[in-house]
Amino acid sequence: MNGGQDLGGMQGFGPLGLEADEPRFHAPWERRVFALAMAMGATGTWNLDASRAARESLPPGEYLTSSYYRIWFRALEKQVQQHGLVEAGELAAGAAMTPPAPVARVLQAGEVAPLFARGFPSDRPVATPARFAPGDEVRAKVIHPAGHTRLPRYVRGRTGTVERVHGGFVFPDSNAAFAGETPQWLYTVRFSGIELWGEDADPGLAVSVNAFESYLEPARGGA
């Protein structure tokens, strides 16, 4: 989706405010929100891509004026209501009033460390060979899906060169919509600054983007 999160290549937002020795959390509530999000994700009610889509689908005005973990919190509120786990009145009251929808599992304290030690791998085998190889010229498709996508707007319609083939991975667009993992080949594609932003761009500038196979097409026909 073309949401408020897709800021790559946009101007007018000022410099990034880098913070030396930045802590993981700036306040205790941020730590709690992160733990809640992880615990709720472990119920199996939704997946990682659906969580990301929930955050990125917040109204742009709200997204752009919220802190990082405020975005996580607002998305979590949205998800628990969408899946029948909490009603709006219960959130407002801070208390359960009706039985929630059942969940597949509940994360126990003793499972947290092993779970994070295993990580959350999303690599999957793909039945068909990779369509592109390093050195191939490709064009990012001009698409504007209403649902989730990982293809940045500023590369759509632009031509780049495949730098690396990473292998097969869960396709976030379908997974976020609960339409299956449908794994695809994932590539790193390098775009020159001039290709992205015209002749006024720094000639030494290039941007590399990770792009799934269905986002790409051959730049000169073929493949």
PDB file of all heavy atoms in Angstrom, residues 176-208:
ATOM      1  N   ALA A 176       0.563 -11.309   4.493  1.00  0.00           N
ATOM      2  CA  ALA A 176      -0.096 -10.280   5.300  1.00  0.00           C
ATOM      3  C   ALA A 176      -1.607 -10.336   5.152  1.00  0.00           C
ATOM      4  O   ALA A 176      -2.342  -9.948   6.056  1.00  0.00           O
ATOM      5  CB  ALA A 176       0.409  -8.897   4.893  1.00  0.00           C
ATOM      6  N   ALA A 177      -2.072 -10.834   3.992  1.00  0.00           N
ATOM      7  CA  ALA A 177      -3.514 -10.916   3.734  1.00  0.00           C
ATOM      8  C   ALA A 177      -4.066 -12.292   4.102  1.00  0.00           C
ATOM      9  O   ALA A 177      -5.205 -12.608   3.758  1.00  0.00           O
ATOM     10  CB  ALA A 177      -3.796 -10.621   2.266  1.00  0.00           C
ATOM     11  N   PHE A 178      -3.239 -13.130   4.788  1.00  0.00           N
ATOM     12  CA  PHE A 178      -3.631 -14.492   5.167  1.00  0.00           C
ATOM     13  C   PHE A 178      -4.013 -15.316   3.948  1.00  0.00           C
ATOM     14  O   PHE A 178      -4.905 -16.151   3.988  1.00  0.00           O
ATOM     15  CB  PHE A 178      -4.779 -14.456   6.190  1.00  0.00           C
ATOM     16  CG  PHE A 178      -4.467 -13.649   7.417  1.00  0.00           C
ATOM     17  CD1 PHE A 178      -4.964 -12.360   7.571  1.00  0.00           C
ATOM     18  CD2 PHE A 178      -3.646 -14.158   8.416  1.00  0.00           C
ATOM     19  CE1 PHE A 178      -4.660 -11.601   8.688  1.00  0.00           C
ATOM     20  CE2 PHE A 178      -3.339 -13.409   9.543  1.00  0.00           C
ATOM     21  CZ  PHE A 178      -3.855 -12.129   9.679  1.00  0.00           C
ATOM     22  N   ALA A 179      -3.321 -15.060   2.819  1.00  0.00           N
ATOM     23  CA  ALA A 179      -3.577 -15.790   1.574  1.00  0.00           C
ATOM     24  C   ALA A 179      -2.469 -16.797   1.284  1.00  0.00           C
ATOM     25  O   ALA A 179      -2.329 -17.248   0.149  1.00  0.00           O
ATOM     26  CB  ALA A 179      -3.701 -14.800   0.414  1.00  0.00           C
ATOM     27  N   GLY A 180      -1.691 -17.140   2.284  1.00  0.00           N
ATOM     28  CA  GLY A 180      -0.651 -18.142   2.116  1.00  0.00           C
ATOM     29  C   GLY A 180       0.736 -17.524   2.008  1.00  0.00           C
ATOM     30  O   GLY A 180       0.891 -16.347   1.682  1.00  0.00           O
ATOM     31  N   GLU A 181       1.738 -18.366   2.281  1.00  0.00           N
ATOM     32  CA  GLU A 181       3.124 -17.871   2.253  1.00  0.00           C
ATOM     33  C   GLU A 181       3.642 -17.698   0.828  1.00  0.00           C
ATOM     34  O   GLU A 181       4.507 -16.869   0.591  1.00  0.00           O
ATOM     35  CB  GLU A 181       4.029 -18.825   3.026  1.00  0.00           C
ATOM     36  CG  GLU A 181       3.743 -18.854   4.526  1.00  0.00           C
ATOM     37  CD  GLU A 181       4.780 -19.644   5.299  1.00  0.00           C
ATOM     38  OE1 GLU A 181       5.525 -20.455   4.682  1.00  0.00           O
ATOM     39  OE2 GLU A 181       4.864 -19.449   6.525  1.00  0.00           O
ATOM     40  N   THR A 182       3.150 -18.483  -0.125  1.00  0.00           N
ATOM     41  CA  THR A 182       3.521 -18.407  -1.541  1.00  0.00           C
ATOM     42  C   THR A 182       4.952 -17.900  -1.747  1.00  0.00           C
ATOM     43  O   THR A 182       5.164 -16.825  -2.307  1.00  0.00           O
ATOM     44  CB  THR A 182       2.547 -17.510  -2.336  1.00  0.00           C
ATOM     45  OG1 THR A 182       2.484 -16.220  -1.728  1.00  0.00           O
ATOM     46  CG2 THR A 182       1.157 -18.115  -2.345  1.00  0.00           C
ATOM     47  N   PRO A 183       5.959 -18.651  -1.296  1.00  0.00           N
ATOM     48  CA  PRO A 183       7.348 -18.162  -1.355  1.00  0.00           C
ATOM     49  C   PRO A 183       7.788 -17.803  -2.767  1.00  0.00           C
ATOM     50  O   PRO A 183       7.373 -18.430  -3.745  1.00  0.00           O
ATOM     51  CB  PRO A 183       8.167 -19.318  -0.785  1.00  0.00           C
ATOM     52  CG  PRO A 183       7.259 -20.478  -0.698  1.00  0.00           C
ATOM     53  CD  PRO A 183       5.862 -19.991  -0.738  1.00  0.00           C
ATOM     54  N   GLN A 184       8.627 -16.779  -2.837  1.00  0.00           N
ATOM     55  CA  GLN A 184       9.178 -16.290  -4.107  1.00  0.00           C
ATOM     56  C   GLN A 184      10.680 -16.070  -3.950  1.00  0.00           C
ATOM     57  O   GLN A 184      11.196 -15.927  -2.845  1.00  0.00           O
ATOM     58  CB  GLN A 184       8.544 -14.947  -4.495  1.00  0.00           C
ATOM     59  CG  GLN A 184       7.094 -15.002  -4.865  1.00  0.00           C
ATOM     60  CD  GLN A 184       6.638 -13.671  -5.468  1.00  0.00           C
ATOM     61  OE1 GLN A 184       7.459 -12.819  -5.835  1.00  0.00           O
ATOM     62  NE2 GLN A 184       5.342 -13.495  -5.577  1.00  0.00           N
ATOM     63  N   TRP A 185      11.352 -15.985  -5.091  1.00  0.00           N
ATOM     64  CA  TRP A 185      12.758 -15.599  -5.098  1.00  0.00           C
ATOM     65  C   TRP A 185      12.875 -14.133  -4.699  1.00  0.00           C
ATOM     66  O   TRP A 185      12.073 -13.290  -5.117  1.00  0.00           O
ATOM     67  CB  TRP A 185      13.367 -15.812  -6.484  1.00  0.00           C
ATOM     68  CG  TRP A 185      13.490 -17.260  -6.841  1.00  0.00           C
ATOM     69  CD1 TRP A 185      12.616 -17.994  -7.588  1.00  0.00           C
ATOM     70  CD2 TRP A 185      14.534 -18.152  -6.440  1.00  0.00           C
ATOM     71  NE1 TRP A 185      13.050 -19.294  -7.683  1.00  0.00           N
ATOM     72  CE2 TRP A 185      14.220 -19.417  -6.994  1.00  0.00           C
ATOM     73  CE3 TRP A 185      15.688 -18.011  -5.686  1.00  0.00           C
ATOM     74  CZ2 TRP A 185      15.037 -20.531  -6.807  1.00  0.00           C
ATOM     75  CZ3 TRP A 185      16.511 -19.114  -5.495  1.00  0.00           C
ATOM     76  CH2 TRP A 185      16.178 -20.360  -6.048  1.00  0.00           C
ATOM     77  N   LEU A 186      13.916 -13.866  -3.905  1.00  0.00           N
ATOM     78  CA  LEU A 186      14.175 -12.502  -3.445  1.00  0.00           C
ATOM     79  C   LEU A 186      15.527 -12.045  -3.998  1.00  0.00           C
ATOM     80  O   LEU A 186      16.521 -12.791  -3.940  1.00  0.00           O
ATOM     81  CB  LEU A 186      14.194 -12.454  -1.917  1.00  0.00           C
ATOM     82  CG  LEU A 186      14.457 -11.087  -1.283  1.00  0.00           C
ATOM     83  CD1 LEU A 186      13.301 -10.129  -1.564  1.00  0.00           C
ATOM     84  CD2 LEU A 186      14.667 -11.229   0.231  1.00  0.00           C
ATOM     85  N   TYR A 187      15.554 -10.842  -4.527  1.00  0.00           N
ATOM     86  CA  TYR A 187      16.763 -10.296  -5.162  1.00  0.00           C
ATOM     87  C   TYR A 187      17.153  -8.966  -4.508  1.00  0.00           C
ATOM     88  O   TYR A 187      16.300  -8.240  -3.995  1.00  0.00           O
ATOM     89  CB  TYR A 187      16.505 -10.013  -6.650  1.00  0.00           C
ATOM     90  CG  TYR A 187      15.991 -11.192  -7.440  1.00  0.00           C
ATOM     91  CD1 TYR A 187      14.621 -11.445  -7.519  1.00  0.00           C
ATOM     92  CD2 TYR A 187      16.866 -12.049  -8.102  1.00  0.00           C
ATOM     93  CE1 TYR A 187      14.136 -12.531  -8.245  1.00  0.00           C
ATOM     94  CE2 TYR A 187      16.384 -13.128  -8.829  1.00  0.00           C
ATOM     95  CZ  TYR A 187      15.019 -13.361  -8.900  1.00  0.00           C
ATOM     96  OH  TYR A 187      14.545 -14.433  -9.621  1.00  0.00           O
ATOM     97  N   THR A 188      18.440  -8.647  -4.586  1.00  0.00           N
ATOM     98  CA  THR A 188      18.880  -7.275  -4.345  1.00  0.00           C
ATOM     99  C   THR A 188      19.091  -6.628  -5.703  1.00  0.00           C
ATOM    100  O   THR A 188      19.806  -7.162  -6.551  1.00  0.00           O
ATOM    101  CB  THR A 188      20.191  -7.230  -3.541  1.00  0.00           C
ATOM    102  OG1 THR A 188      19.951  -7.744  -2.231  1.00  0.00           O
ATOM    103  CG2 THR A 188      20.698  -5.798  -3.411  1.00  0.00           C
ATOM    104  N   VAL A 189      18.426  -5.491  -5.917  1.00  0.00           N
ATOM    105  CA  VAL A 189      18.511  -4.767  -7.189  1.00  0.00           C
ATOM    106  C   VAL A 189      19.105  -3.384  -6.916  1.00  0.00           C
ATOM    107  O   VAL A 189      18.661  -2.670  -6.010  1.00  0.00           O
ATOM    108  CB  VAL A 189      17.126  -4.624  -7.843  1.00  0.00           C
ATOM    109  CG1 VAL A 189      17.249  -3.893  -9.183  1.00  0.00           C
ATOM    110  CG2 VAL A 189      16.482  -5.996  -8.049  1.00  0.00           C
ATOM    111  N   ARG A 190      20.119  -3.027  -7.699  1.00  0.00           N
ATOM    112  CA  ARG A 190      20.800  -1.745  -7.530  1.00  0.00           C
ATOM    113  C   ARG A 190      20.300  -0.740  -8.571  1.00  0.00           C
ATOM    114  O   ARG A 190      20.297  -1.014  -9.777  1.00  0.00           O
ATOM    115  CB  ARG A 190      22.318  -1.950  -7.698  1.00  0.00           C
ATOM    116  CG  ARG A 190      23.165  -0.712  -7.495  1.00  0.00           C
ATOM    117  CD  ARG A 190      24.636  -1.053  -7.747  1.00  0.00           C
ATOM    118  NE  ARG A 190      25.528   0.088  -7.635  1.00  0.00           N
ATOM    119  CZ  ARG A 190      26.094   0.496  -6.518  1.00  0.00           C
ATOM    120  NH1 ARG A 190      25.870  -0.172  -5.396  1.00  0.00           N
ATOM    121  NH2 ARG A 190      26.901   1.539  -6.495  1.00  0.00           N
ATOM    122  N   PHE A 191      19.858   0.431  -8.092  1.00  0.00           N
ATOM    123  CA  PHE A 191      19.368   1.511  -8.948  1.00  0.00           C
ATOM    124  C   PHE A 191      20.320   2.696  -8.820  1.00  0.00           C
ATOM    125  O   PHE A 191      20.725   3.056  -7.702  1.00  0.00           O
ATOM    126  CB  PHE A 191      17.963   1.957  -8.532  1.00  0.00           C
ATOM    127  CG  PHE A 191      16.923   0.878  -8.601  1.00  0.00           C
ATOM    128  CD1 PHE A 191      16.714   0.023  -7.520  1.00  0.00           C
ATOM    129  CD2 PHE A 191      16.141   0.715  -9.739  1.00  0.00           C
ATOM    130  CE1 PHE A 191      15.744  -0.973  -7.567  1.00  0.00           C
ATOM    131  CE2 PHE A 191      15.169  -0.278  -9.800  1.00  0.00           C
ATOM    132  CZ  PHE A 191      14.975  -1.124  -8.716  1.00  0.00           C
ATOM    133  N   SER A 192      20.662   3.323  -9.924  1.00  0.00           N
ATOM    134  CA  SER A 192      21.485   4.527  -9.847  1.00  0.00           C
ATOM    135  C   SER A 192      20.623   5.701  -9.396  1.00  0.00           C
ATOM    136  O   SER A 192      19.401   5.737  -9.639  1.00  0.00           O
ATOM    137  CB  SER A 192      22.112   4.837 -11.212  1.00  0.00           C
ATOM    138  OG  SER A 192      21.128   5.326 -12.107  1.00  0.00           O
ATOM    139  N   GLY A 193      21.275   6.666  -8.750  1.00  0.00           N
ATOM    140  CA  GLY A 193      20.552   7.855  -8.320  1.00  0.00           C
ATOM    141  C   GLY A 193      19.961   8.609  -9.497  1.00  0.00           C
ATOM    142  O   GLY A 193      18.859   9.156  -9.394  1.00  0.00           O
ATOM    143  N   ILE A 194      20.666   8.643 -10.607  1.00  0.00           N
ATOM    144  CA  ILE A 194      20.163   9.348 -11.785  1.00  0.00           C
ATOM    145  C   ILE A 194      18.921   8.663 -12.330  1.00  0.00           C
ATOM    146  O   ILE A 194      17.962   9.316 -12.755  1.00  0.00           O
ATOM    147  CB  ILE A 194      21.278   9.431 -12.853  1.00  0.00           C
ATOM    148  CG1 ILE A 194      22.378  10.382 -12.364  1.00  0.00           C
ATOM    149  CG2 ILE A 194      20.722   9.896 -14.198  1.00  0.00           C
ATOM    150  CD1 ILE A 194      23.571  10.466 -13.286  1.00  0.00           C
ATOM    151  N   GLU A 195      18.895   7.337 -12.312  1.00  0.00           N
ATOM    152  CA  GLU A 195      17.702   6.607 -12.763  1.00  0.00           C
ATOM    153  C   GLU A 195      16.506   6.920 -11.874  1.00  0.00           C
ATOM    154  O   GLU A 195      15.373   7.062 -12.349  1.00  0.00           O
ATOM    155  CB  GLU A 195      17.985   5.101 -12.757  1.00  0.00           C
ATOM    156  CG  GLU A 195      16.784   4.205 -13.015  1.00  0.00           C
ATOM    157  CD  GLU A 195      16.235   4.324 -14.438  1.00  0.00           C
ATOM    158  OE1 GLU A 195      16.906   4.930 -15.297  1.00  0.00           O
ATOM    159  OE2 GLU A 195      15.130   3.800 -14.675  1.00  0.00           O
ATOM    160  N   LEU A 196      16.772   7.076 -10.583  1.00  0.00           N
ATOM    161  CA  LEU A 196      15.662   7.309  -9.648  1.00  0.00           C
ATOM    162  C   LEU A 196      15.219   8.760  -9.619  1.00  0.00           C
ATOM    163  O   LEU A 196      14.022   9.055  -9.545  1.00  0.00           O
ATOM    164  CB  LEU A 196      16.079   6.874  -8.235  1.00  0.00           C
ATOM    165  CG  LEU A 196      16.341   5.378  -8.029  1.00  0.00           C
ATOM    166  CD1 LEU A 196      16.846   5.135  -6.611  1.00  0.00           C
ATOM    167  CD2 LEU A 196      15.087   4.565  -8.287  1.00  0.00           C
ATOM    168  N   TRP A 197      16.192   9.690  -9.667  1.00  0.00           N
ATOM    169  CA  TRP A 197      15.830  11.090  -9.418  1.00  0.00           C
ATOM    170  C   TRP A 197      16.273  12.049 -10.511  1.00  0.00           C
ATOM    171  O   TRP A 197      16.241  13.255 -10.333  1.00  0.00           O
ATOM    172  CB  TRP A 197      16.412  11.518  -8.064  1.00  0.00           C
ATOM    173  CG  TRP A 197      15.790  10.741  -6.948  1.00  0.00           C
ATOM    174  CD1 TRP A 197      14.480  10.750  -6.571  1.00  0.00           C
ATOM    175  CD2 TRP A 197      16.444   9.815  -6.075  1.00  0.00           C
ATOM    176  NE1 TRP A 197      14.279   9.883  -5.521  1.00  0.00           N
ATOM    177  CE2 TRP A 197      15.460   9.301  -5.189  1.00  0.00           C
ATOM    178  CE3 TRP A 197      17.757   9.367  -5.939  1.00  0.00           C
ATOM    179  CZ2 TRP A 197      15.749   8.372  -4.202  1.00  0.00           C
ATOM    180  CZ3 TRP A 197      18.050   8.441  -4.952  1.00  0.00           C
ATOM    181  CH2 TRP A 197      17.057   7.955  -4.096  1.00  0.00           C
ATOM    182  N   GLY A 198      16.739  11.512 -11.643  1.00  0.00           N
ATOM    183  CA  GLY A 198      17.045  12.367 -12.778  1.00  0.00           C
ATOM    184  C   GLY A 198      18.479  12.876 -12.788  1.00  0.00           C
ATOM    185  O   GLY A 198      19.300  12.555 -11.927  1.00  0.00           O
ATOM    186  N   GLU A 199      18.769  13.709 -13.789  1.00  0.00           N
ATOM    187  CA  GLU A 199      20.130  14.156 -14.047  1.00  0.00           C
ATOM    188  C   GLU A 199      20.689  15.028 -12.927  1.00  0.00           C
ATOM    189  O   GLU A 199      21.904  15.212 -12.835  1.00  0.00           O
ATOM    190  CB  GLU A 199      20.177  14.928 -15.372  1.00  0.00           C
ATOM    191  CG  GLU A 199      19.825  14.075 -16.600  1.00  0.00           C
ATOM    192  CD  GLU A 199      20.813  12.945 -16.815  1.00  0.00           C
ATOM    193  OE1 GLU A 199      22.008  13.118 -16.479  1.00  0.00           O
ATOM    194  OE2 GLU A 199      20.412  11.883 -17.311  1.00  0.00           O
ATOM    195  N   ASP A 200      19.837  15.597 -12.103  1.00  0.00           N
ATOM    196  CA  ASP A 200      20.340  16.437 -11.017  1.00  0.00           C
ATOM    197  C   ASP A 200      20.867  15.629  -9.841  1.00  0.00           C
ATOM    198  O   ASP A 200      21.464  16.180  -8.911  1.00  0.00           O
ATOM    199  CB  ASP A 200      19.226  17.364 -10.503  1.00  0.00           C
ATOM    200  CG  ASP A 200      18.845  18.413 -11.535  1.00  0.00           C
ATOM    201  OD1 ASP A 200      19.681  18.703 -12.407  1.00  0.00           O
ATOM    202  OD2 ASP A 200      17.708  18.918 -11.471  1.00  0.00           O
ATOM    203  N   ALA A 201      20.638  14.334  -9.850  1.00  0.00           N
ATOM    204  CA  ALA A 201      21.064  13.496  -8.726  1.00  0.00           C
ATOM    205  C   ALA A 201      22.581  13.345  -8.709  1.00  0.00           C
ATOM    206  O   ALA A 201      23.254  13.489  -9.737  1.00  0.00           O
ATOM    207  CB  ALA A 201      20.403  12.121  -8.824  1.00  0.00           C
ATOM    208  N   ASP A 202      23.128  13.074  -7.557  1.00  0.00           N
ATOM    209  CA  ASP A 202      24.557  12.806  -7.396  1.00  0.00           C
ATOM    210  C   ASP A 202      24.931  11.609  -8.269  1.00  0.00           C
ATOM    211  O   ASP A 202      24.377  10.514  -8.086  1.00  0.00           O
ATOM    212  CB  ASP A 202      24.825  12.504  -5.925  1.00  0.00           C
ATOM    213  CG  ASP A 202      26.302  12.241  -5.622  1.00  0.00           C
ATOM    214  OD1 ASP A 202      27.075  11.982  -6.565  1.00  0.00           O
ATOM    215  OD2 ASP A 202      26.654  12.284  -4.426  1.00  0.00           O
ATOM    216  N   PRO A 203      25.856  11.781  -9.233  1.00  0.00           N
ATOM    217  CA  PRO A 203      26.196  10.656 -10.121  1.00  0.00           C
ATOM    218  C   PRO A 203      26.837   9.478  -9.393  1.00  0.00           C
ATOM    219  O   PRO A 203      26.873   8.361  -9.924  1.00  0.00           O
ATOM    220  CB  PRO A 203      27.166  11.292 -11.123  1.00  0.00           C
ATOM    221  CG  PRO A 203      27.715  12.494 -10.435  1.00  0.00           C
ATOM    222  CD  PRO A 203      26.599  13.005  -9.565  1.00  0.00           C
ATOM    223  N   GLY A 204      27.327   9.699  -8.189  1.00  0.00           N
ATOM    224  CA  GLY A 204      27.924   8.599  -7.434  1.00  0.00           C
ATOM    225  C   GLY A 204      26.938   7.881  -6.530  1.00  0.00           C
ATOM    226  O   GLY A 204      27.306   6.933  -5.831  1.00  0.00           O
ATOM    227  N   LEU A 205      25.689   8.337  -6.558  1.00  0.00           N
ATOM    228  CA  LEU A 205      24.687   7.765  -5.649  1.00  0.00           C
ATOM    229  C   LEU A 205      24.008   6.544  -6.274  1.00  0.00           C
ATOM    230  O   LEU A 205      23.662   6.551  -7.459  1.00  0.00           O
ATOM    231  CB  LEU A 205      23.632   8.821  -5.331  1.00  0.00           C
ATOM    232  CG  LEU A 205      22.478   8.388  -4.408  1.00  0.00           C
ATOM    233  CD1 LEU A 205      23.008   8.081  -3.013  1.00  0.00           C
ATOM    234  CD2 LEU A 205      21.416   9.481  -4.349  1.00  0.00           C
ATOM    235  N   ALA A 206      23.837   5.506  -5.501  1.00  0.00           N
ATOM    236  CA  ALA A 206      23.068   4.331  -5.923  1.00  0.00           C
ATOM    237  C   ALA A 206      22.311   3.797  -4.710  1.00  0.00           C
ATOM    238  O   ALA A 206      22.732   3.992  -3.565  1.00  0.00           O
ATOM    239  CB  ALA A 206      23.985   3.256  -6.502  1.00  0.00           C
ATOM    240  N   VAL A 207      21.201   3.150  -4.976  1.00  0.00           N
ATOM    241  CA  VAL A 207      20.365   2.583  -3.915  1.00  0.00           C
ATOM    242  C   VAL A 207      20.101   1.121  -4.247  1.00  0.00           C
ATOM    243  O   VAL A 207      19.726   0.793  -5.381  1.00  0.00           O
ATOM    244  CB  VAL A 207      19.026   3.331  -3.800  1.00  0.00           C
ATOM    245  CG1 VAL A 207      18.144   2.678  -2.743  1.00  0.00           C
ATOM    246  CG2 VAL A 207      19.252   4.796  -3.469  1.00  0.00           C
ATOM    247  N   SER A 208      20.318   0.248  -3.281  1.00  0.00           N
ATOM    248  CA  SER A 208      20.018  -1.169  -3.456  1.00  0.00           C
ATOM    249  C   SER A 208      18.748  -1.520  -2.685  1.00  0.00           C
ATOM    250  O   SER A 208      18.601  -1.143  -1.518  1.00  0.00           O
ATOM    251  CB  SER A 208      21.183  -2.037  -2.972  1.00  0.00           C
ATOM    252  OG  SER A 208      22.319  -1.847  -3.799  1.00  0.00           O
TER     253      SER A 208
END
